[in-house]
Amino acid sequence: MSLLTDLINLNLSDCTEKIIAEYIWVGGSGMDIRSKARTLSGPVGDARQLPRWNYDGSSTGQAPGEDSEVILYPQAIYRDPFRRGNGILVMCDCYTPQGEPIPTNKRHNAAKIFGDPAVAAEETWFGIEQEYTLLRKDVKWPLGWPLGGFPGPQGPYYCSAGADKAFGRDIVDAHYKACLYAGIDISGINGEVMPGQWEFQVGPCVGISAGDQLWVARYLLERITEIAGVVLSFDPKPIQGDWNGAGAHTNYSTKSMRSNGGYEVIKEAIQKLGLRHKEHIAAYGEGNERRLTGRHETADINTFVWGVANRGASIRVGRDTEKSGKGYFEDRRPASNMDPYVVTSMIAETTILWNSA
């Protein structure tokens, strides 16, 4: 008799050309990640070759019951680290049967911005630092914390090693390797300042692919924590008090910023971001006011300030960028639950297309 693990690990390519494609999309809350699988007749290497599909939008908060059909448009393909073989993960966005993007489809507008000739010419690069917190399943309390109590003060946990300081490393490492297998441009991981909190970085990615890759990386993490029996939280301030919140710092550069004289372009871009500070904050994640307090490596939510090597600023410029006169900057305002399609396209729109006059 085969064990369940034997069946899960079956290599389908030994017996059939058919493959399994897992279609992934963003649900009605804007943070819930949904997926379902279908059989395809053979391997597919281009999202444009994939069939569109549909789902019941009334069950995800994205359509009324009397007109519930929502159409999935495949947009990007990644290798499936769970089924392996020729299995694929398919990042989709969502439309009405008439072809109109539904309100929670933030990719559609982002693709328009990144498709603008002026934006495309600048070859926008993004690197997103996704912070998250691991919680015990039944009590929703951070992994490694005394039940109903608190660990020692922050200080020993950031980039730490040891059973009394680093909690959940097996999940973090499994996710790191799964992302590399899938084809995600994951560039690193580290333990964060609050115990039970971790970070992974995706990028550099060009344009719309930053959003696609971050959403798929989040999906992989959701699946891995599901297997581990641990709850994944993207809450920007999961524990009130003298504990760091969770953000999604977004590093950004354009071709002009990376070229000689780029530091002046960076300063002009930062000035534009400051003029649209309120609009950006409104789009940078729900509950961000609990995180952006002016403490715990943040600027106050109502204040825009930038500086070189200043982790208490809204925008941080690195020492290397200042020294070389070109490079990138980091927008430290986005919350951990931000939508990467919204944040990346808004930064590009403000810094390249928006005219402050």
Side-chain angles (χ1 to χ4, degrees), residues 178-226:
C179 284
L180 288 171
Y181 181 96
I184 302 293
D185 292 318
I186 186 170
S187 48
I189 55 99
N190 61 267
E192 267 305 328
V193 177
M194 189 184 89
Q197 195 175 84
W198 294 80
E199 172 184 300
F200 67 88
Q201 303 94 33
V202 169
C205 304
V206 179
I208 195 72
S209 68
D212 289 336
Q213 292 198 36
L214 190 72
W215 273 117
V216 174
R218 285 174 170 176
Y219 171 80
L220 293 175
L221 188 54
E222 288 278 15
R223 288 282 304 275
I224 290 166
T225 52
E226 172 191 320

Side-chain angles (χ1 to χ4, degrees), residues 72-124:
L72 293 168
Y73 286 29
Q75 299 292 355
I77 292 177
Y78 302 90
R79 291 184 292 275
D80 186 342
F82 303 108
R83 295 188 176 103
R84 288 169 284 183
N86 291 319
I88 56 175
L89 305 174
V90 184
M91 189 64 210
C92 305
D93 59 353
C94 306
Y95 296 80
T96 68
Q98 293 73 38
E100 294 296 320
I102 66 173
T104 53
N105 179 355
K106 306 303 181 185
R107 190 187 192 280
H108 180 78
N109 186 62
K112 282 206 262 185
I113 291 170
F114 287 120
D116 186 286
V119 176
E122 283 290 352
E123 298 174 12
T124 53

Side-chain angles (χ1 to χ4, degrees), residues 116-153:
D116 186 286
V119 176
E122 283 290 352
E123 298 174 12
T124 53
W125 290 4
F126 295 93
I128 301 174
E129 306 170 26
Q130 176 69 70
E131 294 177 339
Y132 60 93
T133 308
L134 299 175
L135 307 176
R136 298 192 200 185
K137 183 178 178 183
D138 297 324
V139 293
K140 304 293 177 69
W141 198 240
L143 212 60
W145 288 39
L147 189 60
F150 296 87

Side-chain angles (χ1 to χ4, degrees), residues 31 44 58-59 92 107 109 126 142 148 172 197-198 221 233 244 248 252 268 273 275 281 291 297-298 316 320 343 346:
M31 270 307 294
V44 177
S58 69
S59 296
C92 305
R107 190 187 192 280
N109 186 62
F126 295 93
V172 175
Q197 195 175 84
W198 294 80
L221 188 54
S233 172
N244 275 34
Y252 170 69
E268 290 170 8
L273 289 169
L275 292 172
I281 286 295
R291 166 180 164 263
E297 301 181 47
T298 70
R316 181 184 68 86
D320 287 345
V343 169
M346 195 172 192

